[in-house]
Amino acid sequence: MSLLRNYEMRLKNEIYKIILNILFCVSFSGFVVAAQQNYFHDEEYFRSGKKLTLHKTGTFENTDSELISSKAGSWHISNDTLYLSTKVDVQSSESLENKFLITYHSKNKLTLTSEYGRFSYHDYQSAFKQPGFPFASILRGILGMFFLFGVAYLLSRNRKGINWSLVIKGSILQLLLAIFILKVPFVSGVFDWLAKAFTKVIDFSHDGAIFLFGSAGAMPPMLENFAFWILPTVVFVSALSSLLYYFGILQFVVKKMAWVMRRFLGISGSESVAAAANVFVGQTEAPLLVKPYLDRMTSSEMLCLMVGGMATIAGGVLGAVVGILGQGDPVMELFYAKHLLTASIMSAPAAIVFAKILFPESEKINSDLDVSKDKIGVNALEAITSGTTDGLKLAVNVGAMLLVFTSLIALLNYFVFKIGDWTSLNTLIESGGIYDRLSFESISGYFLSPLAWILGVEWQDAMYFGQLLGEKTIINEFIAYPHLGDIQDELSNKTIIMATYVLCGFANIVSIGIQVGGIGILIPNKKSMLARLGWLALAGGTLACMSTSVLAGMLY
């Protein structure tokens, strides 16, 4: 009987604890709501350089003509709706009232919707780059890097054999590259110049597109789209890369970068050359520079080669991405060109670090640092021709993939939307203020948002970041980057930068087949090894891209 009474008392105590916890949560949530309501007053919000200021006095100032044409007036809130009132004219007492549903509101972000569209604003810190090294961002970045190292450690084929000295050195090299390129004025200035040169090259490709598709020196509006404006960049940059390869300029730069990585990290010569080459060329072209060594590569070296291909993008693709994100704005194209170039360079040591955690080297390595001297053609003209043909194949491949995968996503979203209707999930999701229905994008966003937060993304942007990461990994970067371009106004400056870095790589499921087929042609006897390492290479490439994103986020 006493045992039963003791059990009853313990049960009551547990029920009391549960009730107290519920009351605490309700009180805390009420406190948060109240705090947010107070914070909403006297705050400046920014959107694409335009400003909306809400004063405690009930007045507002506005420079965003897309929201409303008036520059000043009064405001009030009722039933989660923001009302902006302005006088019709100075002499009249009549006022015109505009109402906007507050679909999302946090300390850093305010999203308003009306019949005319959706308007997302950010506070000053989220909207603009902050000087120095923000302490909170550094702590979040450290957490993100430890998480990535932990995941790689769990997936490792030989945990006891991990060379932690190489891991630390590689991470330091990656961080130093980020600091020097983004924070040191002289080095940053050099990369600004490189970014300008790269965007100028893209402009030259536009001249060719206008000549081919335009009339009277201008591109017709109906043709100024992805197929006739972005894809020609892929062809032109590919031809230019072939010309640089023919004259030995590309090999010279690759060899110098490879020498630095071999000396600093102590890896084999072939690994160094392949990692450096992946910065400039694609995942099936880089192995050609180490073709004499492919047949003798160890499993660890082969994985390093594959991860390097997954963690970077080719020069032609880089040019296309700049065009997609820049959307014809020279300032934005320069901004993205610099960060994409930085991401490509940072990805080289990142790929080595995670490849060596996933599959540590246990055999003797060859430190020879020779780059293949094979020519692309007998002369410069043949090199240009070969590069143009390869670029055309790549452009057609990119266009075809976009056509197919965009259509497949639309088909998938149709059925998923129906499921959302039957289960009332669409209504629930719409009430969240980020997505309006159940879809591939919303599923990716919800599932990967905790991972995004761990990497250092602000919580209000975590779902969008998770969506982009899911699209890039499951499909490819050419689906994710256009979506990043579409939702730039929804994201803070820091999140835009982090997303640019995390998407900068070929780490997706399709790339496994591309690598097994492309590299397998060069070494048919090792095709089974490539197939076995495929998923591990995908994991390594994804982790490497995430690490460059985390380190870039630490500096903003």
Side-chain angles (χ1 to χ4, degrees):
M1 193 71 176
S2 59
L3 182 64
L4 183 62
R5 188 176 291 107
N6 287 336
Y7 179 79
E8 184 180 357
M9 290 296 295
R10 287 174 62 187
L11 184 61
K12 285 182 178 179
N13 288 334
E14 291 300 320
I15 292 173
Y16 291 148
K17 286 179 182 178
I18 292 170
I19 292 172
L20 286 172
N21 283 330
I22 292 172
L23 289 173
F24 173 78
C25 290
V26 171
S27 302
F28 181 75
S29 62
F31 170 78
V32 170
V33 171
Q36 287 184 345
Q37 288 175 344
N38 289 333
Y39 192 88
F40 192 79
H41 297 266
D42 219 17
E43 182 62 26
E44 294 181 334
Y45 293 97
F46 298 85
R47 185 179 77 93
S48 301
K50 302 158 188 171
K51 185 169 72 170
L52 172 66
T53 306
L54 302 175
H55 295 291
K56 285 182 180 179
T57 55
T59 60
F60 75 86
E61 295 172 10
N62 171 59
T63 62
D64 190 353
S65 59
E66 293 180 22
L67 184 71
I68 55 171
S69 57
S70 303
K71 294 185 178 180
S74 61
W75 68 274
H76 70 277
I77 296 175
S78 176
N79 297 325
D80 294 325
T81 302
L82 173 66
Y83 293 87
L84 301 178
S85 303
T86 57
K87 288 186 177 181
V88 175
D89 55 60
V90 178
Q91 297 178 346
S92 173
S93 60
E94 187 180 351
S95 63
L96 181 65
E97 193 170 63
N98 300 272
K99 62 179 183 178
F100 302 90
L101 181 65
I102 303 172
T103 52
Y104 187 88
H105 174 229
S106 69
K107 180 180 177 181
N108 307 105
K109 184 178 178 181
L110 170 66
T111 300
L112 308 172
T113 56
S114 71
E115 57 183 316
Y116 302 110
R118 180 182 173 101
F119 307 89
S120 290
Y121 293 87
H122 303 272
D123 67 351
Y124 184 85
Q125 184 174 351
S126 298
F128 298 101
K129 172 184 173 182
Q130 298 299 301
F133 299 88
F135 183 68
S137 291
I138 292 174
L139 289 180
R140 293 284 302 278
I142 293 171
L143 170 65
M145 290 302 292
F146 271 107
F147 172 79
L148 296 178
F149 287 143
V151 172
Y153 179 80
L154 291 174
L155 296 175
S156 177
R157 294 284 180 89
N158 180 12
R159 295 171 189 169
K160 292 182 179 179
I162 296 174
N163 183 350
W164 290 108
S165 174
L166 183 151
V167 171
I168 293 170
K169 287 179 181 178
S171 300
I172 291 173
L173 178 59
Q174 194 182 357
L175 180 60
L176 287 176
L177 285 170
I179 292 173
F180 274 96
I181 296 172
L182 300 176
K183 292 293 185 179
V184 177
F186 172 73
V187 182
S188 183
V190 171
F191 272 79
D192 283 336
W193 181 86
L194 289 173
K196 287 179 182 177
F198 193 74
T199 53
K200 191 65 179 176
V201 168
I202 294 172
D203 287 341
F204 292 143
S205 73
H206 291 167
D207 291 338
I210 290 171
F211 173 79
L212 190 60
F213 304 112
S215 59
M219 174 73 76
M222 66 177 294
L223 291 182
E224 194 169 326
N225 54 31
F226 191 90
F228 296 97
W229 198 245
I230 303 299
L231 293 183
T233 304
V234 177
V235 181
F236 179 67
V237 174
S238 178
L240 188 61
S241 299
S242 294
L243 188 62
L244 293 174
Y245 188 96
Y246 173 79
F247 286 116
I249 298 172
L250 202 58
Q251 295 94 314
F252 175 80
V253 176
V254 165
K255 190 169 183 177
K256 294 301 178 186
M257 287 182 63
W259 182 85
V260 172
M261 285 189 284
R262 184 174 67 82
R263 295 282 294 182
F264 196 75
L265 302 178
I267 57 177
S268 70
S270 57
E271 287 173 311
S272 304
V273 171
N278 274 311
V279 174
F280 304 99
V281 297
Q283 56 187 331
T284 54
E285 290 84 15
L288 295 173
L289 293 175
V290 291
K291 187 177 178 182
Y293 304 100
L294 286 176
D295 203 42
R296 291 171 284 160
M297 274 188 168
T298 66
S299 296
S300 178
E301 289 175 322
M302 191 63 70
L303 180 68
C304 191
L305 170 69
M306 296 173 73
V307 172
M310 293 274 192
T312 53
I313 58 177
V317 175
L318 194 71
V321 171
V322 171
I324 292 169
L325 296 178
Q327 299 179 349
D329 184 344
V331 176
M332 294 307 295
E333 285 186 351
L334 185 62
F335 170 84
Y336 284 113
K338 180 178 179 179
H339 283 291
L340 287 165
L341 287 170
T342 306
S344 295
I345 293 172
M346 287 175 62
S347 292
I352 294 169
V353 165
F354 285 99
K356 292 307 176 185
I357 296 177
L358 293 171
F359 207 131
E361 186 60 80
S362 58
E363 302 176 43
K364 188 177 180 180
I365 60 173
N366 184 354
S367 60
D368 290 344
L369 199 64
D370 293 327
V371 180
S372 176
K373 303 283 193 306
D374 293 344
K375 294 287 185 181
I376 294 179
V378 295
N379 54 33
L381 186 60
E382 187 178 353
I384 294 172
T385 304
S386 299
T388 302
T389 303
D390 292 339
L392 181 61
K393 291 177 182 176
L394 178 59
V396 171
N397 184 48
V398 168
M401 283 194 299
L402 282 173
L403 173 68
V404 171
F405 282 112
T406 302
S407 303
L408 285 174
I409 290 174
L411 176 64
L412 173 66
N413 282 342
Y414 175 79
F415 290 108
V416 172
F417 172 75
K418 292 296 183 183
I419 294 172
D421 255 356
W422 297 333
T423 58
S424 299
L425 280 173
N426 288 341
T427 306
L428 181 64
I429 290 171
E430 187 177 12
S431 66
I434 302 247
Y435 300 103
D436 58 359
R437 61 181 181 175
L438 186 67
S439 62
F440 174 76
E441 291 81 4
S442 62
I443 292 170
S444 298
Y446 282 119
F447 273 97
L448 295 176
S449 56
L451 172 61
W453 185 86
I454 291 173
L455 297 180
V457 176
E458 296 157 315
W459 181 247
Q460 70 265 19
D461 295 336
M463 288 186 188
Y464 286 122
F465 191 92
Q467 169 196 327
L468 295 170
L469 185 57
E471 289 173 342
K472 181 247 187 179
T473 305
I474 297 172
I475 308 171
N476 60 45
E477 66 285 348
F478 271 109
I479 292 292
Y481 269 125
H483 285 175
L484 173 58
D486 292 339
I487 62 174
Q488 289 180 78
D489 285 346
E490 298 283 348
L491 308 176
S492 69
N493 185 62
K494 176 181 176 179
T495 303
I496 290 173
I497 291 170
M498 291 186 68
T500 303
Y501 281 74
V502 83
L503 301 180
C504 188
F506 288 130
N508 57 69
I509 296 173
V510 177
S511 288
I512 296 175
I514 292 173
Q515 287 197 349
V516 172
I519 304 174
I521 293 174
L522 303 175
I523 41 171
N525 58 319
K526 291 201 172 185
K527 214 165 188 178
S528 58
M529 177 199 287
L530 294 169
R532 286 196 303 270
L533 295 175
W535 288 101
L536 204 59
L538 175 60
T542 303
L543 291 170
C545 291
M546 286 181 180
S547 70
T548 63
S549 177
V550 169
L551 292 177
M554 286 175 67
L555 305 180
Y556 285 88

